[in-house]
Amino acid sequence: QVQFVESGGGLVQPGGSLRLSCEASGFSISTYSMSWFRQAPGKERELVAGISSSGVPDYANFVKGRFTISRDDAQSTVYLQMNSLEVEDTAVYYCRKNGVPLWWGQGIQVTVSS
């Protein structure tokens, strides 16, 4: 059974940092690219960052220089290090296995507020 366990979200002040984790089970992430998406209230889900199976990252312009995606295939885990957080980063964050089929995590809340 495929399952994702996302952790690391919560409430943080502007300028702060959080590290999201997405641990996969039921399959090996090693041969797949993985991504983080987010969805803010009233907005469409958007791509935040992706990482290829070989570890090459790619970022949305609005997080470049602030967020870092990484992966540990031995731990079947994908990470999103988020620094210099802004109020506009408030959203539910989802990890996703790319390719066919697409598999989504359940989402984790990140709230940036003073």
Side-chain angles (χ1 to χ4, degrees):
Q1 180 181 358
V2 172
Q3 187 175 10
F4 294 100
V5 177
E6 293 157 333
S7 60
L11 174 64
V12 64
Q13 292 186 341
S17 298
L18 286 173
R19 188 193 195 204
L20 303 184
S21 299
C22 173
E23 182 178 3
S25 60
F27 75 104
S28 172
I29 70 168
S30 63
T31 58
Y32 298 101
S33 66
M34 302 288 293
S35 297
W36 284 97
F37 284 73
R38 71 185 187 187
Q39 188 166 19
K43 294 187 177 181
E44 293 187 354
R45 193 171 296 188
E46 60 185 357
L47 176 66
V48 175
I51 187 165
S52 72
S53 58
S54 58
V56 178
D58 192 20
Y59 300 96
N61 285 335
F62 53 79
V63 302
K64 280 184 179 177
R66 299 190 298 127
F67 292 9
T68 302
I69 189 171
S70 61
R71 62 191 295 154
D72 183 340
D73 290 346
Q75 299 295 324
S76 266
T77 302
V78 180
Y79 303 97
L80 187 67
Q81 177 68 44
M82 305 185 294
N83 299 328
S84 302
L85 282 161
E86 303 168 353
V87 172
E88 293 74 22
D89 295 318
T90 296
V92 177
Y93 284 71
Y94 300 86
C95 66
R96 189 185 82 175
K97 167 203 161 292
N98 300 320
V100 179
L102 294 174
W103 287 330
W104 292 88
Q106 79 283 1
I108 189 164
Q109 179 69 46
V110 171
T111 302
V112 185
S113 175
S114 56

